[in-house]
Amino acid sequence: MPEKTISTQLIDEVVALGISPILREHGYKKLRRHFFRQTSEATLHLVVQASQFNAPDRTRFTINLYSYLPAVAVQNGEALISDPQKQRGHAGIRIGHLLPIQEDFWWNVVSSNEVRSVAFDVEQAIREYALPYLNRISDLEGIAKLSGYIPKIGQVPTPSSQSARFLLGEV
């Protein structure tokens, strides 16, 4: 196994301190930096994405949120996927669009001295914004309303939102 880079170590420390505990508390399972929880209608996902431009002096990451609903997959004509790591979202958003700034947001960690502070900030963002959003996209009603929602732009119909509306008898 290759040795971890400083960037990888810093992000993994933030995940261990600020993300894993709260998501475990809410029933999420972990595969590397991919967390998921299955409900009766969906699989909810939170994925920590490292920047492709990370370096020892420049470590950045963001969080992607999405849900996968087998009923929507079938209605969309997609093959059913049981492996959470291969599932793609029927509704999803990057966490920065849920924050008050409502735009793409990346956390920066320059040294191990910042890990606790960043982990605290990430945990708060997950509590206040990520978990409520994931709960809202955990069923057909949420997919019908939020699939295709783009903050500051509006609602853009997607095949998933249309399929959810059809399955709910709204179309």
Side-chain angles (χ1 to χ4, degrees), residues 113-133:
N113 295 335
E114 296 178 339
V115 167
R116 285 199 183 283
S117 173
V118 172
F120 178 79
D121 289 346
V122 171
E123 179 186 349
Q124 293 306 310
I126 289 172
R127 281 188 195 280
E128 293 177 36
Y129 303 101
L131 289 172
Y133 175 79

Side-chain angles (χ1 to χ4, degrees), residues 104-118:
D104 203 17
F105 180 80
W106 294 74
W107 280 275
N108 295 295
V109 189
V110 176
S111 73
S112 58
N113 295 335
E114 296 178 339
V115 167
R116 285 199 183 283
S117 173
V118 172

Side-chain angles (χ1 to χ4, degrees), residues 3-65:
E3 198 171 314
K4 284 187 174 183
T5 65
I6 292 171
S7 295
T8 299
Q9 288 174 11
L10 291 172
I11 294 172
D12 287 347
E13 287 176 31
V14 170
V15 169
L17 287 173
I19 300 175
S20 291
I22 185 167
L23 292 180
R24 189 177 322 113
E25 175 185 314
H26 287 273
Y28 283 77
K29 295 178 182 176
K30 179 180 186 271
L31 296 168
R32 290 180 285 286
R33 294 181 186 160
H34 183 159
F35 297 84
F36 66 95
R37 179 172 71 89
Q38 295 182 313
T39 70
S40 61
E41 289 187 54
T43 304
L44 308 175
H45 298 264
L46 183 148
V47 179
V48 177
Q49 177 187 341
S51 171
Q52 64 181 343
F53 303 109
N54 279 346
D57 63 337
R58 185 178 60 248
T59 302
R60 298 176 51 187
F61 68 92
T62 191
I63 296 174
N64 299 308
L65 309 164

Side-chain angles (χ1 to χ4, degrees), residues 51-101:
S51 171
Q52 64 181 343
F53 303 109
N54 279 346
D57 63 337
R58 185 178 60 248
T59 302
R60 298 176 51 187
F61 68 92
T62 191
I63 296 174
N64 299 308
L65 309 164
Y66 62 96
S67 68
Y68 173 85
L69 281 77
V72 172
V74 169
Q75 184 63 33
N76 285 353
E78 303 166 9
L80 287 177
I81 301 170
S82 59
D83 181 350
Q85 288 194 294
K86 295 180 180 175
Q87 294 174 342
R88 297 296 164 245
H90 293 117
I93 201 163
R94 197 170 269 173
I95 196 167
H97 295 283
L98 300 173
L99 301 174
I101 60 169

